[in-house]
Amino acid sequence: MLKTLLTRGFIVLCFVFSGVHAVHAQEKANYAYIGLEPEIVTNYISESARKLGYVRVSVELMMDVSQLEIAEHHMPLLRATAIEIFGQQPSEKVKSLTGREDIRRAILKALQDHMKQETGAEVIKNVIFTKYLYQGD
């Protein structure tokens, strides 16, 4: 009887804690995504000084749902910042996977800094490239 009572108590505790964890996970998963539209198409510094390369990227910004309207208001600033960072990149960074990740992090940091300056909050949680094409020497 004591063993059965302990087993039932353990099962009840498991349900209680799993329910708390599920509710906590749902509270955290309140993110929205907004794209920088239209796609970013810009030049980058090619290895050959006579020829520029170009990159075409679709960028999605992850943020809290409550910050969506703020991000939409500042969309021209966000887009211009991403274009500026891509334009400053050398071809070896644009063409490599590690370089692409460095560019993504640089864009994320710059966007967060700009939004903190404009709104007092970082707003942007993450930057995701959903399309990434480049051409150049």
Side-chain angles (χ1 to χ4, degrees):
M1 172 124 156
L2 181 60
K3 187 176 178 182
T4 306
L5 190 57
L6 288 174
T7 304
R8 287 182 184 169
F10 178 73
I11 291 171
V12 168
L13 284 175
C14 288
F15 281 125
V16 168
F17 285 118
S18 67
V20 169
H21 179 65
V23 169
H24 186 63
Q26 287 176 349
E27 289 174 6
K28 285 181 128 180
N30 200 17
Y31 293 116
Y33 296 87
I34 187 169
L36 296 181
E37 297 292 334
E39 295 175 332
I40 293 174
V41 179
T42 190
N43 292 323
Y44 64 88
I45 304 166
S46 182
E47 293 169 5
S48 167
R50 291 179 285 162
K51 195 172 184 183
L52 287 175
Y54 77 90
V55 64
R56 181 177 185 164
V57 183
S58 293
V59 180
E60 298 288 326
L61 307 177
M62 181 178 138
M63 68 200 67
D64 191 272
V65 171
S66 64
Q67 303 287 332
L68 197 56
E69 191 174 324
I70 293 169
E72 287 175 347
H73 176 75
H74 291 283
M75 192 56 67
L77 174 65
L78 300 174
R79 184 172 168 72
T81 301
I83 290 170
E84 181 181 344
I85 290 172
F86 267 111
Q88 297 170 350
Q89 303 306 312
S91 65
E92 60 271 1
K93 240 186 187 179
V94 172
K95 293 178 180 181
S96 74
L97 290 176
T98 56
R100 183 186 312 181
E101 179 61 15
D102 291 344
I103 295 168
R104 188 193 68 77
R105 280 194 220 126
I107 290 172
L108 174 60
K109 173 119 177 61
L111 295 180
Q112 287 175 334
D113 290 348
H114 282 309
M115 293 306 287
K116 187 146 186 122
Q117 187 177 19
E118 293 295 320
T119 68
E122 286 184 341
V123 179
I124 310 299
K125 302 292 183 197
N126 205 353
V127 171
I128 302 163
F129 297 151
T130 55
K131 181 194 286 186
Y132 191 94
L133 304 171
Y134 60 86
Q135 183 174 353
D137 290 343

